[in-house]
Amino acid sequence: MKIKFFFLSIVLALFSCENNQSCEKDPVVENRFDLSGSVQKGPYLLGSTINVIKLNDDLEPSGLVFVTSTYNDNGEFSVSVDSASPVLIEGYGYFFNENTGAVSKSLLTLRSLYFPQTETVQNTRVNILTHLTVERVKALINEGLEPDQAITSAETSLVSQLGITIPEFSISSRNASMNLQGGDNDDNAFLLLASTVLIEAGRLRNNGTYSDSSFQEFLNILATDYSDGELEQNNKDLIFEALITINPVLIKNNMAMRFMKLGLSVDVPDFERIIDQDDDGISNLEDNCKRVSNPLQENSDGDGRGDACDDCPDTPCEKDCIPAMPDGMPSVDTCVELCDNNNDVEAGLDSNFGFASASCSDYLQGAVCSHGVSSILVETGYGHWYDEILFSLCTPKCDPLNDTCPSGSHCFPYKFDWNFNDGGYELCLPDEYFPDVGEGQNCAYNYAMHACEQGTMCGWYIDSYVAPENYSPWHARCLDICDPAAPDSCNSGTCRTDLFPDEFGYNFGLCEPPLGGEGELCLADGSCNTGLVCTVLEIMEFGNFSECRPE
């Protein structure tokens, strides 16, 4: 009976309050709203912690916290909040690094001040820019400004304090409205620019090494520094150094690849139209030398690259150019796209993919950065010895058995980046990289990567005559590439898989060389075709070998 009486009392009380206009409404229910948004540093990953902290009249934590987490890899969250007072939104989680194309190894905290509106459903975002302005907005409000005025003042001034855009740039929306995944407009571009420049500044501040903890420290230092509305000059200088260091193509490709993986069909904000990395008064998007100041934009060969940054000013090339090497190779100006392969090491990454290769304009179409293996050869003047000058080129992967390289290039049969987990791969290289040294020709004169013509490879052959005075039974010859599944497809001999100069796991074979002809290896018994004689030749760097020569 006591239980029934207690239940009846509650029902009567509720009924009487519902029908009594003088009853006070529950203040918690009255101020409740649903807050949704996202935390964007690349952006944040699924499961990142979101704290919505109620603030008191002094904009300090009141002790009431509403907790949720991001529900996807877009950094999105949703939470019910019971507060009419300002709140501090705090995101804590792993993020995608736009500069390296990799997920962070440590957690990052970003914050934003939010002043609730009257709607029952509200939206906001947390990002690098909102983090930097939290303390400045607080200071301006404490000085007497209304929240809207304080936010506008702090955000507008921050643009000039960072100093990373062209002078005429200005923001047209609130920082909390900017969206990395919202398409290509100037405000979203500014957010991406600030995000990537500041993480690069953190790397420079940390002696050239990416560190999540160092980046967090730097952000917090900047936020505190900016609380008075003015960044210290040493921080400004570091940010400007980072601006001229970043690689816009790499960053945009990293973001495009990230969006593809997230299933987002949106354009990456193009911040090149709002920056001027060489400070010559021309935005990157319109500048024909993005990193070399050339206000007059001279361009003798009309190829879109200014003379000030064109290694071949008389040879039109869409991207880069390797100048002709009269005593080496290539012997003519060669159009290529160069890339920087050192940034993988700087980032401490375990793979060569997604970082150096992202600096290639055709990265999304499968181009990779050859890690310093592609080279040109320069005659040193000492016999047939050559020096290698290393370059890293952007180029597609290929299959020597099915050469589908673009026009003007062919599949280069040597393994690139063989020391990485995938076992290496072959790449397309310009035709100028292939000398006119055909099947059966001697490649010991320059046993380097560029010793044989297209469709052949410098291999080691042992089954031919070896004179007593020869130093080694091995003979370096240009051998036709063949399919081991069709061993009888060679013009001479059979297709073999034991003639390679290294053990990098090639998926093709090499044909045995022709024997007995002029310039070819001697037959196993030391004989040659009619009119030729097996002659011992001496090459200082490579020892002696025997070859058929005219009598």
Side-chain angles (χ1 to χ4, degrees), residues 333-408:
D333 291 349
T334 303
C335 296
V336 296
E337 181 180 4
L338 300 174
C339 51
D340 179 8
N341 62 43
N342 293 321
N343 47 19
D344 288 326
V345 177
E346 293 173 0
L349 298 182
D350 299 325
S351 170
N352 54 315
F353 294 108
F355 192 27
S357 295
S359 64
C360 299
S361 59
D362 290 332
Y363 168 65
L364 299 178
Q365 288 72 46
V368 297
C369 179
S370 65
H371 280 54
V373 183
S374 55
S375 63
I376 62 175
L377 306 173
V378 179
E379 172 67 69
T380 63
Y382 298 97
H384 296 283
W385 190 260
Y386 288 78
D387 275 347
E388 291 183 310
I389 301 177
L390 301 181
F391 287 92
S392 295
L393 308 181
C394 292
T395 184
K397 295 180 184 180
C398 60
D399 181 357
L401 292 175
N402 182 27
D403 192 340
T404 58
C405 292
S407 176

Side-chain angles (χ1 to χ4, degrees), residues 216-428:
Q216 178 75 79
E217 180 184 35
F218 182 58
L219 287 182
N220 293 344
I221 289 173
L222 288 181
T224 302
D225 182 16
Y226 184 58
S227 63
D228 62 357
E230 180 79 23
L231 290 176
E232 293 181 1
Q233 190 60 46
N234 65 315
N235 286 328
K236 290 182 179 180
D237 292 342
L238 184 59
I239 292 170
F240 182 75
E241 183 181 356
L243 171 66
I244 62 178
T245 304
I246 61 170
N247 185 325
V249 173
L250 179 146
I251 293 161
K252 290 187 290 184
N253 275 336
N254 280 337
M255 290 300 291
M257 182 62 74
R258 183 63 176 173
F259 289 170
M260 289 172 59
K261 291 180 179 179
L262 293 176
L264 302 176
S265 299
V266 295
D267 294 330
V268 176
D270 189 357
F271 56 81
E272 289 206 77
R273 65 174 170 271
I274 64 171
I275 63 173
D276 177 14
Q277 285 184 291
D278 59 9
D279 199 27
D280 61 1
I282 302 168
S283 72
N284 268 34
L285 203 62
E286 300 176 346
D287 200 338
N288 62 18
C289 283
K290 302 179 189 298
R291 295 176 181 272
V292 179
S293 180
N294 63 333
L296 299 181
Q297 299 284 284
E298 299 95 334
N299 184 11
S300 300
D301 54 16
D303 61 358
R305 171 156 296 206
D307 293 345
C309 58
D310 194 340
D311 292 325
C312 308
D314 298 322
T315 300
C317 288
E318 182 181 356
K319 298 182 175 70
D320 302 305
C321 180
I322 297 177
M325 295 289 172
D327 297 324
M329 188 178 64
S331 59
V332 297
D333 291 349
T334 303
C335 296
V336 296
E337 181 180 4
L338 300 174
C339 51
D340 179 8
N341 62 43
N342 293 321
N343 47 19
D344 288 326
V345 177
E346 293 173 0
L349 298 182
D350 299 325
S351 170
N352 54 315
F353 294 108
F355 192 27
S357 295
S359 64
C360 299
S361 59
D362 290 332
Y363 168 65
L364 299 178
Q365 288 72 46
V368 297
C369 179
S370 65
H371 280 54
V373 183
S374 55
S375 63
I376 62 175
L377 306 173
V378 179
E379 172 67 69
T380 63
Y382 298 97
H384 296 283
W385 190 260
Y386 288 78
D387 275 347
E388 291 183 310
I389 301 177
L390 301 181
F391 287 92
S392 295
L393 308 181
C394 292
T395 184
K397 295 180 184 180
C398 60
D399 181 357
L401 292 175
N402 182 27
D403 192 340
T404 58
C405 292
S407 176
S409 64
H410 280 82
C411 191
F412 198 61
Y414 288 83
K415 289 283 190 179
F416 287 76
D417 301 324
W418 54 267
N419 54 318
F420 288 95
N421 295 331
D422 66 351
Y425 44 82
E426 294 85 10
L427 296 176
C428 298

Side-chain angles (χ1 to χ4, degrees), residues 441-457:
Q441 298 290 309
N442 180 17
C443 49
Y445 289 107
N446 173 30
Y447 182 62
M449 295 171 57
H450 310 284
C452 298
E453 68 180 4
Q454 302 146 5
T456 66
M457 178 179 185

Side-chain angles (χ1 to χ4, degrees), residues 90-91 174 177 218 256 303 316 338 362 372 412 479 481 500 520 543:
E90 183 178 83
R174 290 285 173 84
S177 298
F218 182 58
D303 61 358
L338 300 174
D362 290 332
F412 198 61
L479 305 178
I481 292 171
F500 295 104
E520 297 174 351

Side-chain angles (χ1 to χ4, degrees), residues 12 45 74 106 139 156 229 264 273 336 345 443 506 521 532 534 536:
L12 291 173
L45 272 60
N74 295 328
S106 303
T156 302
L264 302 176
R273 65 174 170 271
V336 296
V345 177
C443 49
Y506 296 96
L521 294 174
L532 303 174
C534 189
V536 177

Side-chain angles (χ1 to χ4, degrees), residues 482-488 495:
C482 56
D483 186 352
D488 298 327
C495 185

